[in-house]
Amino acid sequence: MTLLNTFFYYTCFASIVLFYGIGTNKILNIDFSKIKSITYCFKIIISIMVSSVVSWFVTKGILVPLKIAELFPLVVFLIYVCIDTFLEALIRLTTGKSATEFIFSYLVIILTISESSSIINCILIAVSCLCSFITIIPFIMAFKKRNSDITNSDKIFCRLFLYLALLMLTITVLDIAWINPEVFQ
């Protein structure tokens, strides 16, 4: 039950896009043709999962015993860059296409390592973060379709942040009132 609670917490109630802000600045400029590319999606999923697992083992096995756990963002960065570069080279050699993406994956890995207490928890948080991002895509597509007539980028970003604020408010109200019965006791 704890794993299910963790999954729903990081997917819905602590949505990485809405509450942590990971990818918020790029959410409007998402190229949905890239997301439809299977190699692009697999590269992001594999790089996040492998980097999270390796980083968790290095952080818990080396950095924590040496009492230098404050260096984990640098170590995570180095591990992620090595894995991501290898996967990018592999994709470019096999398909001839680029599948570069950095900031979203790196921030998800940082969140995963800093919030996890076990390797299962680490993997579950990474999967939840990816599911959270996938969950927000239909909302953003509907927002884009509804506001396709606006040409001023300042107006569309203003409306987007109001829209995201309404989504955050809705999720927060659902979390407190109906799904969390301990509030009323």
Side-chain angles (χ1 to χ4, degrees), residues 98-117:
S98 174
T100 59
E101 198 289 318
F102 174 74
I103 195 68
F104 173 75
S105 301
Y106 177 64
L107 291 176
V108 166
I109 296 166
I110 291 287
L111 175 73
T112 301
I113 300 302
S114 65
E115 298 278 326
S116 64
S117 58

Side-chain angles (χ1 to χ4, degrees), residues 7-182:
F7 177 77
F8 283 122
Y9 177 74
Y10 284 102
T11 302
C12 300
F13 307 121
S15 170
I16 59 160
V17 176
L18 297 176
F19 292 101
Y20 286 100
I22 297 174
T24 305
N25 58 345
K26 295 187 178 197
I27 195 119
L28 194 61
N29 298 327
I30 290 177
D31 185 12
F32 291 108
S33 63
K34 266 189 167 181
I35 291 177
K36 291 178 185 174
S37 170
I38 195 93
T39 56
Y40 179 76
C41 292
F42 273 141
K43 186 234 176 201
I44 288 175
I45 292 169
I46 290 171
S47 67
I48 287 176
M49 291 301 171
V50 172
S51 298
S52 295
V53 170
V54 172
S55 298
W56 190 85
F57 279 121
V58 169
T59 302
K60 301 299 181 198
I62 297 172
L63 298 179
V64 171
L66 292 176
K67 296 180 179 153
I68 54 172
E70 296 84 16
L71 294 177
F72 90 90
L74 176 65
V75 173
V76 167
F77 174 75
L78 294 174
I79 291 170
Y80 173 68
V81 166
C82 292
I83 292 171
D84 193 60
T85 304
F86 172 74
L87 290 173
E88 180 68 25
L90 192 65
I91 287 173
R92 283 192 187 198
L93 287 174
T94 56
T95 64
K97 297 178 181 177
S98 174
T100 59
E101 198 289 318
F102 174 74
I103 195 68
F104 173 75
S105 301
Y106 177 64
L107 291 176
V108 166
I109 296 166
I110 291 287
L111 175 73
T112 301
I113 300 302
S114 65
E115 298 278 326
S116 64
S117 58
S118 68
I119 190 65
I120 303 283
N121 204 357
C122 175
I123 294 169
L124 189 65
I125 291 172
V127 168
S128 299
C129 290
L130 290 169
C131 288
S132 173
F133 193 76
I134 291 169
T135 304
I136 199 89
I137 288 175
F139 292 105
I140 297 303
M141 288 175 65
F143 174 80
K144 279 184 163 183
K145 193 174 282 192
R146 175 85 172 143
N147 294 299
S148 61
D149 58 338
I150 300 174
T151 57
N152 188 355
S153 64
D154 291 339
K155 274 188 176 181
I156 198 160
F157 279 115
C158 205
R159 282 189 184 178
L160 173 69
F161 285 118
L162 286 172
Y163 180 68
L164 292 178
L166 287 173
L167 280 175
M168 286 173 59
L169 187 62
T170 304
I171 290 172
T172 306
V173 166
L174 286 173
D175 178 33
I176 293 172
W178 291 281
I179 298 179
N180 196 355
E182 290 87 20

